[in-house]
Amino acid sequence: MRSLIAAGEFFFDLIFYKLERLPRMGEELVTPNFTLVLGGGAATTAIVAARLGRRVQLATVLGDTSLDEYAIDELKKQKITPELIKRQSNSMGAITVAVSLPKDRFFLTYPGANVFLEKYLLSSSTRKKLAAGAHVHFALSPREWKPYAGLLQHLKSQGLSTSWDLGWHPEAVRRPGFRECYAALDIVFLNRIEALKFANEKTVEKAIRKLAMPGQVVVVKLGAEGAMALGPTGLLRSKGMGVKAIDTTGAGDAFNGGFLHAWLDGKNLRHCLRTGNICGALSTTKPGGSAAAPNETQLARFLRKLK
């Protein structure tokens, strides 16, 4: 089985959900709808793929507090090995407070140990460790893209495949090194708004055709509507799975975990999209991106239902 390394930012997600309104200034609003989960794009993708039986490592930076020890223990329970997790002294893992309302949500974030992430990922020792994997998925927004172009080219020269969830950073196309990074990737993940903005187009189909480079797979996640992808076999669209959503935090990263698990098993693009859609949809049924992730048996059952 081909292994997956998820490299990127880590967050402790403190999630308040099912709130009907926000508290007024000076008011305390008490709610039982709260949970603490391990989050961030890399961690969510890693946990979802590991739950499906994939051999996964997480390359990130954590601090040295008791909360960080809790994260290590929880990751081990998910069978994610900690060898690629750097522990930064006198620091703690990043924290995001997510508040979900019926029609919107907001976030408040403390970056914590993530400020040390890029130095760690770009170090020569980490580069060697990443090259020992089979596929590296990146989930972070670098300050400078140029150093990552060299890292991606190195991984490619070692026979690894790579992917990146670009997130909401359309200004990146004007940054030095971005185009070189983009061209080196095997898979690019975007959501609908990101794809339209990156491509400067008004429809997803036009955007995805403009964004995909020869031999590359570009995936655009469409939320409840499913997902679309363009690869060497052409353009495909897969419908979403109807669920009662509670919290959408991390749903896109859960999709990535499912998609990459299927892709690393050599499944065709349609199967990868269906697997991603299932994992993304199920993730919204509980707070946090990975709490409702399926195992192999559950995934097989949902695949039979989702045509």
Side-chain angles (χ1 to χ4, degrees), residues 146-159:
K146 197 169 183 179
Y148 286 93
L151 174 58
L152 289 168
Q153 289 161 4
H154 171 72
L155 295 175
K156 190 172 185 177
S157 72
Q158 299 301 305

Side-chain angles (χ1 to χ4, degrees), residues 25-302:
M25 188 63 68
E27 177 189 15
E28 179 184 15
L29 186 63
V30 179
T31 174
N33 300 319
F34 169 81
T35 189
L36 165 64
V37 296
L38 307 187
T44 300
T45 297
I47 292 171
V48 171
R51 192 81 60 85
L52 293 172
R54 180 68 40 192
R55 185 160 59 89
V56 181
Q57 289 180 291
L58 177 62
T60 193
V61 180
L62 285 171
D64 57 0
T65 71
S66 58
L67 191 58
D68 295 289
E69 290 295 336
Y70 164 78
I72 294 293
D73 290 342
E74 288 298 305
L75 289 167
K76 287 179 179 178
K77 289 178 183 177
Q78 299 293 342
K79 298 183 178 179
I80 296 174
T81 56
E83 284 83 358
L84 290 179
I85 298 176
K86 175 179 173 58
R87 304 298 297 275
Q88 184 69 37
S89 60
N90 301 316
S91 182
M92 69 179 297
I95 294 176
T96 288
V97 177
V99 179
S100 294
L101 298 161
K103 294 184 179 181
D104 207 350
R105 56 183 179 157
F106 71 83
F107 305 93
L108 184 64
T109 296
Y110 164 69
N114 282 335
V115 299
F116 304 101
L117 177 65
E118 291 193 37
K119 181 179 179 180
Y120 169 62
L121 291 181
L122 295 170
S123 68
S124 58
S125 60
T126 304
R127 175 182 291 216
K128 292 178 183 178
K129 293 175 183 177
L130 293 178
H135 181 93
V136 181
H137 172 71
F138 292 89
L140 71 152
S141 302
R143 290 169 292 180
E144 299 294 335
W145 287 90
K146 197 169 183 179
Y148 286 93
L151 174 58
L152 289 168
Q153 289 161 4
H154 171 72
L155 295 175
K156 190 172 185 177
S157 72
Q158 299 301 305
L160 278 73
S161 54
T162 56
S163 57
W164 203 306
D165 192 308
L166 296 180
W168 177 248
H169 295 280
E171 75 286 351
V173 297
R174 298 186 294 273
R175 302 294 294 275
F178 174 80
R179 295 185 184 277
E180 291 83 354
C181 284
Y182 192 96
L185 294 168
D186 295 280
I187 306 173
V188 176
F189 292 103
L190 297 155
N191 66 26
R192 183 201 307 269
I193 297 175
E194 293 160 358
L196 295 177
K197 195 69 175 178
F198 268 93
N200 193 26
E201 293 288 352
K202 294 185 177 180
T203 69
V204 174
E205 184 169 338
K206 286 183 179 180
I208 201 170
R209 291 188 184 280
K210 187 174 181 178
L211 291 168
M213 304 188 72
Q216 190 178 66
V217 176
V218 174
V219 181
V220 180
K221 295 166 281 188
L222 305 172
E225 297 176 27
M228 181 184 294
L230 180 62
T233 58
L235 183 67
L236 289 173
R237 182 163 184 164
S238 179
K239 66 180 181 180
M241 185 176 74
V243 296
K244 185 177 180 180
I246 292 177
D247 173 55
T248 59
T249 303
D253 298 308
F255 174 101
N256 297 347
F259 183 100
L260 289 171
H261 171 71
W263 191 78
L264 288 168
D265 268 350
K267 303 297 185 182
N268 61 42
L269 192 53
R270 187 176 300 279
H271 186 98
C272 294
L273 286 173
R274 291 171 63 204
T275 304
N277 283 335
I278 290 168
C279 292
L282 290 177
S283 78
T284 70
T285 61
K286 290 184 180 180
S290 60
N295 57 31
E296 292 178 271
T297 302
Q298 292 166 332
L299 175 63
R301 185 171 70 248
F302 283 112

